[in-house]
């Protein structure tokens, strides 16, 4: 089961360590094994998906939401909070389990009769209260009244007791193969199959490093590039990377941050890949086209909606320029409507009706651009001037 989850996470572009896989499977019951295999046997609908995202999906969360949580580090934060809470929670006091064969405590003395003997009522009551089985049964040792010091107790481990791998999957990580296997003739088929499953060289390196060692220790990107050139697969990889990067920039409207996220790369890895492929000119062309589209839009609703996308504007490098242009246009639109407006709400409603934009977006844009206070003063002054 752990091997299936580990392979599913690798195909979902979020490879996990054996410890993470076991911690995630510890949250599931034995009856969920069939559901886990049903999910892991299929191809991932979204990426990235780690082992805790798999558990989240099995508990009813959509794959898209689980991928977003995995991408933003939600599951790492939850694991860390759970670990800190577990360390701060005191361990319950152990229940006394020691047994002793000491004789039972003596029963209270019965009242003597007038002739000095034991009364029949006292003997009958004592025999009725204690049977033979109870008298010969071992007695539980009493808990000492004085607490034992913490130093005298055995050392306590605060590490969570994880279940051992179930079934025949007693070892998650398989031994890595030799780098020479990739250099031999059979390595060409292995690399060709790996190219079909990975979009770029960094993903290919991550997939191969889990199965093979490098010539001098861990497998590096240079080792992967050399073996691809040896088998004549480098041109095929370069063509696929160029197409994937340009398509991602077009789909994400020139936002480099979202392109890196969609490809499973860090920003530095994306820039390194663009430099290796000599795509900087093409990428700059796509970004400039997107910048012109944003700055050249004349529809007020689109511009007001774009005002709320700070990260996208900052990624394109046009945030200040866009806000200055929109502030200038809104000042002109508001100046024309101030004489006919009685208050701020009426002013926003007049602008919204005239240009087909939502009133709430207009009011929010005026506040965001710092125009509300000045317009309120103008409306107040105009109201005092027009009143008799």
């Amino acid at each position: 089961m752990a091997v299936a989850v580990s392979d599913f996470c690798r195909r979902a572009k979020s490879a996990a360590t054996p410890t993470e896989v076991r911690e995630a499977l510890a949250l599931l019951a034995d009856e969920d094994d069939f559901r886990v295999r049903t999910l892991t046997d299929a191809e991932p609908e979204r990426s990235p998906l780690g082992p805790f995202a798999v558990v989240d999906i099995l508990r009813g969360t959509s794959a898209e939401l689980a991928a977003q949580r995995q991408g933003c580090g939600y599951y790492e934060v939850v694991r860390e909070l759970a670990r800190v809470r577990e360390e701060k929670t005191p361990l319950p006091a152990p229940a006394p389990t020691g047994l002793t064969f000491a004789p039972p405590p003596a029963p209270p003395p019965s009242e003597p009769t007038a002739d000095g003997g034991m009364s029949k009522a006292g003997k009958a009551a004592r025999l009725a209260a204690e049977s033979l089985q109870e008298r010969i049964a071992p007695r539980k040792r009493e808990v000492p009244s004085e607490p034992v010091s913490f130093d005298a107790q055995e050392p306590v481990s605060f590490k969570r007791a994880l279940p051992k791998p179930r079934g025949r999957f007693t070892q998650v990580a398989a031994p890595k193969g030799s780098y020479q296997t990739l250099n031999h003739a059979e390595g060409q088929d292995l690399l060709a199959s790996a190219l079909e499953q990975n979009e770029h060289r960094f993903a290919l390196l991550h997939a191969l490093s889990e199965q093979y060692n490098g010539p001098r220790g861990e497998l590096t990107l240079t080792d992967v590039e050399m073996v691809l050139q040896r088998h004549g697969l480098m041109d095929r990889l370069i063509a696929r990377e160029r197409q994937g990067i340009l398509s991602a920039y077009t789909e994400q409207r020139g936002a480099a941050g979202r392109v890196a996220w969609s490809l499973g790369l860090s920003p530095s890895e994306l820039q390194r890949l663009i430099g290796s492929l000599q795509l900087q000119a093409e990428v700059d062309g796509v970004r400039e086209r997107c910048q012109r589209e944003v700055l050249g839009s004349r529809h007020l609703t689109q511009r007001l909606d774009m005002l709320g996308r700070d990260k996208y504007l900052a990624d394109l490098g046009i945030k200040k320029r866009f806000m200055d242009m929109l502030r200038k246009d809104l000042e002109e639109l508001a100046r024309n409507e101030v004489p006919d407006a009685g208050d701020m709400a009426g002013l926003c409603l007049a602008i919204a009706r005239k240009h087909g934009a939502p009133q709430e977006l207009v009011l929010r844009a005026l506040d965001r651009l710092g125009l509300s206070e000045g317009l309120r003063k103008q409306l107040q002054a105009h109201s005092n001037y027009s009143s008799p």
Side-chain angles (χ1 to χ4, degrees):
M1 193 64 60
V3 174
V5 174
S6 179
D7 181 68
F8 178 82
C9 297
R10 179 188 62 79
R11 288 185 282 117
K13 302 178 182 179
S14 180
T17 62
T19 303
E20 294 175 349
V21 175
R22 287 196 296 268
E23 288 182 359
L25 290 178
L27 303 176
L28 300 176
D30 294 343
E31 294 78 8
D32 296 330
D33 289 353
F34 177 75
R35 298 174 56 208
V36 174
R37 292 308 301 264
T38 303
L39 177 62
T40 55
D41 288 346
E43 289 297 322
E45 299 179 3
R46 294 291 188 273
S47 61
L49 292 176
F52 288 93
V54 172
V55 175
D56 211 3
I57 292 175
L58 293 176
R59 293 185 173 180
T61 305
S62 63
E64 183 177 0
L65 179 57
Q68 292 178 359
R69 290 178 174 178
Q70 183 71 35
C72 69
Y74 172 82
Y75 299 111
E76 286 76 4
V77 175
V78 172
R79 285 181 60 203
E80 183 64 21
L81 292 177
R83 185 187 64 79
V84 173
R85 180 180 300 177
E86 184 176 359
E87 291 181 355
K88 292 183 177 180
T89 303
L91 295 177
T97 58
L99 300 178
T100 178
F101 290 90
S110 58
E111 297 180 358
T113 58
D115 55 359
M118 187 69 67
S119 64
K120 294 182 179 181
K123 291 182 179 180
R126 182 174 62 83
L127 294 175
E130 189 175 28
S131 63
L132 177 62
Q133 187 68 22
E134 293 176 348
R135 278 180 288 174
I136 67 175
R139 302 291 178 176
K140 290 186 178 180
R141 183 175 301 169
E142 297 181 358
V143 181
S145 58
E146 297 181 359
V148 182
S149 62
F150 184 81
D151 296 336
Q153 297 180 3
E154 296 181 358
V156 181
S157 175
F158 292 96
K159 186 176 180 181
R160 196 165 116 193
L162 299 175
K164 295 182 179 180
R166 292 172 288 181
R168 56 191 180 91
F169 302 104
T170 56
Q171 186 176 359
V172 177
K176 295 183 179 181
S178 173
Y179 180 71
Q180 299 301 326
T181 305
L182 299 176
N183 282 323
H184 293 163
E186 62 270 17
Q188 183 174 3
D189 296 335
L190 295 174
L191 292 172
S193 177
L195 282 178
E196 295 296 331
Q197 302 176 15
N198 298 279
E199 298 178 344
H200 47 78
R201 62 191 67 185
F202 289 98
L204 181 62
L205 169 64
H206 185 72
L208 293 177
S209 62
E210 295 181 351
Q211 304 177 28
Y212 300 96
N213 290 316
R216 292 175 297 275
E218 292 293 331
L219 193 66
T220 63
L221 185 61
T222 304
D223 299 332
V224 174
E225 293 174 349
M226 290 178 59
V227 75
L228 288 174
Q229 291 176 356
R230 179 184 180 88
H231 293 294
L233 298 174
M234 195 63 188
D235 294 339
R236 178 179 171 185
L237 175 62
I238 290 176
R240 185 172 183 177
E241 287 175 337
R242 292 177 63 90
Q243 181 181 2
I245 290 179
L246 293 178
S247 300
Y249 267 98
T250 303
E251 181 180 354
Q252 302 298 338
R253 310 301 302 162
R258 295 191 62 84
V259 170
W261 176 81
S262 65
L263 294 177
L265 295 169
S266 64
S268 60
E269 290 175 344
L270 177 61
Q271 292 300 322
R272 181 180 174 183
L273 187 58
I274 291 175
S276 300
L277 299 175
Q278 299 180 356
L279 278 177
Q280 194 62 50
E282 290 84 344
V283 169
D284 291 342
V286 175
R287 287 172 58 85
E288 289 176 3
R289 183 173 69 251
C290 296
Q291 292 173 358
R292 290 194 299 268
E293 291 178 358
V294 173
L295 295 175
S297 176
R298 306 311 303 170
H299 197 281
L300 184 60
T301 302
Q302 295 179 356
R303 300 175 69 189
L304 295 179
D305 181 68
M306 187 63 66
L307 182 63
R309 303 177 62 183
D310 290 341
K311 293 183 178 180
Y312 177 68
L313 295 174
D315 196 321
L316 289 179
I318 58 173
K319 180 179 179 180
K320 185 178 183 303
R321 184 179 175 186
F322 176 82
M323 295 181 68
D324 292 341
M325 293 177 60
L326 184 59
R327 183 184 294 108
K328 181 179 179 181
D329 293 343
L330 284 179
E331 284 180 346
E332 183 178 355
L333 295 177
R335 190 182 306 113
N336 297 333
E337 301 296 337
V338 165
D340 300 331
D343 54 4
M344 197 66 184
L347 176 62
C348 295
L349 180 61
I351 296 176
R353 287 181 175 177
K354 186 173 182 179
H355 298 277
Q359 180 184 3
E360 183 65 25
L361 287 182
V362 176
L363 179 60
R364 192 180 305 170
L366 294 177
D367 291 336
R368 179 75 178 278
L369 297 174
L371 300 176
S372 300
E373 190 63 27
L375 291 175
R376 287 191 178 94
K377 293 181 179 179
Q378 294 181 24
L379 290 172
Q380 184 66 26
H382 183 75
S383 175
N384 295 336
Y385 176 78
S386 59
S387 60

